[in-house]
Amino acid sequence: MSLCCSVILFISCKSKQATNDISSLTPVGPAFVADSAFAYCQAQCDFGPRTMNSDAHEQCAQWIIKKFEQFGCKVTTQQATLTGYDGTPLKSTNIIASYLPSSLSSSSSLERILLCAHWDSRPWADNDPDSANWRKPVMAANDGASGVAVMLEIARQLQKADSLKVGVDFICFDAEDWGTPQWDTTTQVNGDPWALGAQYWAQQFAQNSGGQSYRFGILLDMVGGQGARFYQEGVSRQYALDIVKKVWTAAKVVGYGSMFPDEANGGITDDHVPVNEVAKIPCIDIIPYYPDCQQSSFGPTWHTLNDDMQHIDKNTLQAVGQTVIQVLFSE
């Protein structure tokens, strides 16, 4: 996956608006198909770990591009050589797939929503319970592939829909998971070594957006794990509390409120941070929190060799995918 890094910083904000009366709301939009999302997750894993600068990474990029194109999106790529925490040059590709691309013009009255996830794999299983695995690459079924899989299934559903009143950009961020491994205690790191692709995208957007803007953004990170529950992440509440409330209300409307508890967890470093702070787009993070897991608060498979397809749960994919569809079609 992704994310990583450190945590624990509780943030409180005053509510910008009252939560909707859920009893007056009904499910809208097409049915998310978890079997399809599961298959897209498996297809990414079939390439092997998609670590930076690897053949599997390049092959998977082309597959993701073709799938979004198959679903009627206009796809562009943003390529850059970024510098890893250890000085390694990383050949990075952010993949941007636009639904209703005609509304990309600054003269268009149609507003756009940003959905995003990272697609690269962690090169080191540095949180594995067996230290012999700490330098092995992670398959990243959940921490990477699941977010892209959910976005692909949403794109497939949008292709068949005719009632959506907003445009959507799906962004697959690269180079998210090259952050400093736990076993490296000597390398001096300058800047934030996580979410490098999102940092680059946000900088370019801030400089070259040409008037384009987004109503809000939703980041999907580790959205397929077994036993996942999605607490309200702290940075999301700090920058976009109204969007948090919108998404958590949508989860209740479509029957997954128990997986989206109205409780806050710590603020974390993830792709949504530069989107908020640099691109100035209000963006929230849907990311699991396991308060009772000793292995990691991100769950027992995070940055381990167990982040594989055997630990992907279709019900989790369904809950997140249907919630996001509810949000989109409620706009």
Side-chain angles (χ1 to χ4, degrees):
M1 130 161 196
S2 103
L3 226 233
C4 237
C5 199
S6 55
V7 184
I8 315 294
L9 185 294
F10 283 84
I11 301 169
S12 63
C13 291
K14 292 183 179 179
S15 173
K16 296 180 181 178
Q17 61 184 35
T19 303
N20 291 327
D21 179 6
I22 296 173
S23 64
S24 67
L25 302 176
T26 58
V28 292
F32 185 89
V33 181
D35 285 343
S36 292
F38 188 87
Y40 301 145
C41 195
Q42 178 70 68
Q44 293 171 79
C45 291
D46 286 345
F47 291 104
R50 285 80 59 211
T51 54
M52 301 301 298
N53 301 336
S54 68
D55 289 341
H57 179 268
E58 297 309 307
Q59 293 165 5
C60 187
Q62 294 306 309
W63 179 85
I64 292 171
I65 290 168
K66 289 178 181 177
K67 293 305 289 185
F68 276 117
E69 289 177 339
Q70 178 186 335
F71 300 146
C73 293
K74 176 184 177 181
V75 179
T76 58
T77 59
Q78 186 183 58
Q79 297 179 323
T81 299
L82 307 176
T83 303
Y85 87 96
D86 55 354
T88 300
L90 306 175
K91 296 179 180 179
S92 172
T93 302
N94 290 330
I95 301 168
I96 305 164
S98 298
Y99 169 77
L100 294 181
S102 61
S103 69
L104 287 168
S105 168
S106 59
S107 62
S108 173
S109 61
L110 189 67
E111 293 191 78
R112 301 189 68 77
I113 307 298
L114 174 65
L115 299 182
C116 49
H118 84 93
W119 69 275
D120 60 306
S121 296
R122 178 75 169 159
W124 314 285
D126 57 327
N127 201 52
D128 199 278
D130 184 350
S131 61
N133 295 328
W134 286 355
R135 295 173 189 265
K136 297 178 182 178
V138 178
M139 182 57 72
N142 191 31
D143 192 0
S146 65
V148 174
V150 168
M151 293 200 303
L152 283 169
E153 174 56 13
I154 292 172
R156 188 178 78 90
Q157 293 299 331
L158 294 187
Q159 185 184 32
K160 303 184 293 182
D162 57 6
S163 58
L164 191 62
K165 296 180 175 61
V166 292
V168 180
D169 280 350
F170 302 92
I171 303 187
C172 303
F173 290 126
D174 203 359
E176 193 276 346
D177 237 343
W178 197 273
T180 311
Q182 297 180 48
W183 43 258
D184 188 342
T185 59
T186 60
T187 302
Q188 190 130 18
V189 179
N190 295 319
D192 186 350
W194 301 90
L196 298 179
Q199 290 186 53
Y200 181 79
W201 180 88
Q203 292 163 0
Q204 295 302 305
F205 182 86
Q207 296 170 10
N208 306 306
S209 63
Q212 178 190 353
S213 187
Y214 292 95
R215 186 177 292 180
F216 59 84
I218 300 174
L219 172 63
L220 307 176
D221 200 352
M222 298 186 286
V223 291
Q226 296 170 340
R229 297 180 77 208
F230 302 95
Y231 290 67
Q232 298 179 0
E233 185 271 333
V235 175
S236 305
R237 289 175 56 86
Q238 178 186 12
Y239 286 104
L241 182 58
D242 54 337
I243 309 306
V244 171
K245 289 179 175 293
K246 183 192 297 281
V247 173
W248 265 248
T249 295
K252 294 178 178 65
V253 173
V254 296
Y256 293 102
S258 64
M259 296 178 67
F260 285 76
D262 291 327
E263 300 173 50
N265 68 348
I268 57 179
T269 298
D270 205 352
D271 289 319
H272 68 316
V273 174
V275 174
N276 276 293
E277 296 184 349
V278 180
K280 306 300 183 183
I281 299 165
C283 183
I284 72 160
D285 193 2
I286 298 179
I287 187 168
Y289 176 56
Y290 293 75
D292 301 320
C293 180
Q294 293 185 351
Q295 183 73 11
S296 168
S297 62
F298 293 125
T301 69
W302 178 73
H303 291 187
T304 76
L305 295 191
N306 287 324
D307 186 1
D308 55 24
M309 289 303 298
Q310 293 182 27
H311 295 91
I312 294 295
D313 186 349
K314 291 181 183 179
N315 188 58
T316 306
L317 296 170
Q318 181 71 41
V320 175
Q322 198 64 60
T323 295
V324 175
I325 284 178
Q326 177 72 19
V327 171
L328 294 177
F329 282 84
S330 296
E331 291 296 301

